[in-house]
Amino acid sequence: MTSADSVCVKNKNIHWWFVWIIFSELVFLIFFVKYFESSGYAMPPFFFAPLDTFMDFYNTNYWSLNDGRYDIWQSIYPISVFALAQMLVPDYCASVVLPAELRDCSPYSIAWLFLFYFCAIFVCTKLIVKQVGIKYISVEIVIFLALLMQFPGLYALERGNYIIVAFMLLAFSQAIGANWKGAVFLALAINIKQYLIVLWFVPFFKREYTYFLISFFASLLINQISMIVLEDGNYRQIFENMFSFSGAVNSDFFQKVWYTTSLSSWSKAVFYYQDRIPVILYLTAHFLRWFVLFVAASILFLSARKAHFFTWEQLSVVVLLSMMVATDSPGGYAVILLLPYLSAILIGSYANKYRRIIMFVLLIPLDFVVGPIIEFNQFSFLSQHYVDVSTGLTFGAYIRPFCLLFMLIIMSYPVLVSLRKFS
């Protein structure tokens, strides 16, 4: 088989791979509509009342106009998010008194997030096309549609979460490359989602100190400009809010478990039912939680020592996955932050089949309720009232954390092979 024939086979395989992703997404859409028609609520993790759609976007925009974003609302967002949010609020809506009123006043502002999302998906599609060498527009369209309808992205859009902006900035950073412009785009992304600071490990481990310093000082500059624009420098309060958020219990943790990436969150579900489960299951959950922390820390340590075995994209996936599997604060939609890097390494020289399978599992909808059924009262930031919720843990909630852990191990394959060679 010639190299040209080999490329054609890859193109055909990847085309059908994305066709199957689209098929799974359409099947889920049918179940979603049926569930909503019968219950009046969306399926988990879309668990709020329909009136709360885009709640993260409009609530954040509301607090960009008001003091108290950190001491009253107790937000964990960086100040730059509110600076951007203020720019997206029309002047004629500046006097609203409730977040829900802001959505009524400016319903079309959400179009900005959809535009940012489309831009990010377009860039990721081009990264895949470049990597695989696709020459057919029909294949590009299939890939674009599959990524456009992927479940983490739809979840982020339904919430109207500003992680979509970070997603777009990371996509541009990856497309531009490891130069000063890419470093600035990374700095912008970090100022949207502060836990992306873990991506500074990549240039540091790679000894690309110029890139690291440019991104570091650009991030500080962006933060300072945002503080000046909003006249808000409440550093102490935002750190207190972050610690409080990471320790949330009871109904708050169910929001994380419904669409979790972390075995730490998964174990909390077991702890919640500790009086109704066997002791062995409770002890197993404890063991898994500490085992994952050990695995993530060990892989990061080995990656720092042997970073030359990784490409930039591979190392970016490793550090992001280490954060996602070991901590429970990032929402399930954080999976979209992996897409710019996974799109650049979809075809590779090792563990290719496993990487595609796991990416498939991350993108397709798996969140069908399998139990246990949970009923509780959830406060809505947007509508400012409590919503009665009757739902349950999903199939995806059970298997996705294990999938991400397995993916972390697969992505660490170069280091593991190097250890075997020198043992």
Side-chain angles (χ1 to χ4, degrees):
M1 181 182 290
T2 66
S3 59
D5 293 334
S6 177
V7 170
C8 288
V9 171
K10 287 181 179 179
N11 288 349
K12 183 178 180 180
N13 289 341
I14 205 164
H15 171 259
W16 284 108
W17 187 66
F18 280 104
V19 167
W20 277 109
I21 290 181
I22 292 177
F23 176 76
S24 70
E25 290 165 344
L26 292 176
V27 169
F28 178 81
L29 181 61
I30 294 173
F31 275 92
F32 184 95
V33 172
K34 294 294 184 182
Y35 186 93
F36 184 80
E37 288 179 348
S38 62
S39 67
Y41 287 94
M43 294 176 66
F46 310 95
F47 65 92
F48 286 107
L51 290 176
D52 294 322
T53 306
F54 310 136
M55 62 180 298
D56 290 353
F57 179 76
Y58 285 103
N59 193 56
T60 303
N61 291 2
Y62 169 79
W63 285 106
S64 72
L65 305 173
N66 296 273
D67 295 331
R69 58 187 67 95
Y70 293 122
D71 54 352
I72 298 177
W73 181 31
Q74 297 185 326
S75 174
I76 62 171
Y77 289 161
I79 190 67
S80 303
V81 174
F82 294 104
L84 172 62
Q86 194 175 83
M87 295 170 59
L88 301 183
V89 177
D91 292 338
Y92 57 82
C93 296
S95 60
V96 296
V97 295
L98 288 174
E101 292 180 6
L102 181 59
R103 192 180 65 172
D104 294 336
C105 179
S106 179
Y108 300 112
S109 294
I110 193 64
W112 283 106
L113 279 194
F114 280 83
L115 176 62
F116 297 151
Y117 183 67
F118 291 153
C119 288
I121 295 299
F122 179 80
V123 173
C124 289
T125 301
K126 287 300 182 181
L127 287 172
I128 294 175
V129 169
K130 179 181 178 181
Q131 180 72 11
V132 185
I134 294 171
K135 298 180 180 179
Y136 304 104
I137 188 65
S138 59
V139 179
E140 290 190 43
I141 292 174
V142 168
I143 294 173
F144 179 82
L145 291 176
L147 296 182
L148 186 72
M149 296 190 296
Q150 41 94 14
F151 191 61
L154 295 181
Y155 180 29
L157 284 172
E158 186 267 342
R159 290 293 156 87
N161 195 279
Y162 272 90
I163 197 173
I164 292 171
V165 180
F167 172 38
M168 180 188 68
L169 294 170
L170 287 184
F172 279 119
S173 178
Q174 175 58 35
I176 291 170
N179 52 44
W180 71 267
K181 290 179 286 188
V184 172
F185 272 101
L186 176 58
L188 287 165
I190 290 171
N191 273 276
I192 299 298
K193 289 293 179 180
Q194 62 266 46
Y195 51 71
L196 288 176
I197 197 172
V198 298
L199 287 173
W200 278 341
F201 286 137
V202 177
F204 197 80
F205 290 170
K206 284 285 191 180
R207 294 176 173 80
E208 297 286 347
Y209 299 121
T210 300
Y211 181 102
F212 168 74
L213 290 174
I214 291 174
S215 185
F216 176 76
F217 286 110
S219 181
L220 291 179
L221 179 61
I222 294 166
N223 185 271
Q224 291 299 312
I225 293 174
S226 301
M227 288 172 54
I228 293 172
V229 170
L230 293 184
E231 299 180 351
D232 191 335
N234 201 338
Y235 277 113
R236 179 185 60 82
Q237 187 69 46
I238 189 173
F239 285 115
E240 290 181 3
N241 295 345
M242 288 172 62
F243 283 117
S244 175
F245 180 79
S246 63
V249 293
N250 297 332
S251 63
D252 288 340
F253 94 82
F254 278 113
Q255 182 177 351
K256 302 173 186 177
V257 174
W258 277 331
Y259 194 9
T260 183
T261 63
S262 164
L263 275 171
S264 177
S265 285
W266 186 88
S267 64
K268 285 186 177 181
V270 177
F271 300 156
Y272 188 83
Y273 291 104
Q274 59 182 295
D275 59 336
R276 286 171 278 175
I277 60 174
V279 174
I280 186 65
L281 181 57
Y282 179 77
L283 294 177
T284 301
H286 260 300
F287 169 78
L288 281 173
R289 186 178 187 184
W290 289 107
F291 173 75
V292 170
L293 289 173
F294 172 77
V295 169
S298 299
I299 287 177
L300 280 179
F301 175 76
L302 293 173
S303 300
R305 295 288 301 274
K306 298 180 178 293
H308 56 284
F309 285 101
F310 289 105
T311 66
W312 191 282
E313 296 82 12
Q314 290 166 359
L315 193 53
S316 297
V317 172
V318 167
V319 297
L320 280 174
L321 281 173
S322 298
M323 174 203 59
M324 290 180 186
V325 303
T327 63
D328 56 5
S329 291
Y333 36 58
V335 170
I336 65 175
L337 301 176
L338 295 168
L339 269 184
Y341 306 106
L342 288 174
S343 299
I345 57 176
L346 194 61
I347 301 296
S349 59
Y350 75 93
N352 187 23
K353 177 169 62 176
Y354 297 107
R355 191 188 305 158
R356 288 201 207 176
I357 291 173
I358 295 172
M359 185 175 174
F360 179 83
V361 173
L362 292 180
L363 298 186
I364 65 173
L366 293 171
D367 291 74
F368 302 96
V369 176
V370 294
I373 300 299
I374 307 158
E375 296 181 358
F376 61 91
N377 228 229
Q378 176 70 46
F379 182 75
S380 164
F381 288 117
L382 187 64
S383 58
Q384 295 291 299
H385 62 75
Y386 282 87
V387 180
D388 292 325
V389 179
S390 177
T391 185
L393 296 182
T394 65
F395 181 64
Y398 285 108
I399 72 166
R400 192 175 286 108
F402 294 94
C403 178
L404 262 74
L405 178 61
F406 181 58
M407 186 176 188
L408 175 60
I409 295 172
I410 289 296
M411 292 304 303
S412 304
Y413 183 82
V415 168
L416 300 178
V417 169
S418 69
L419 290 177
R420 187 176 63 182
K421 287 180 179 180
F422 293 104
S423 61

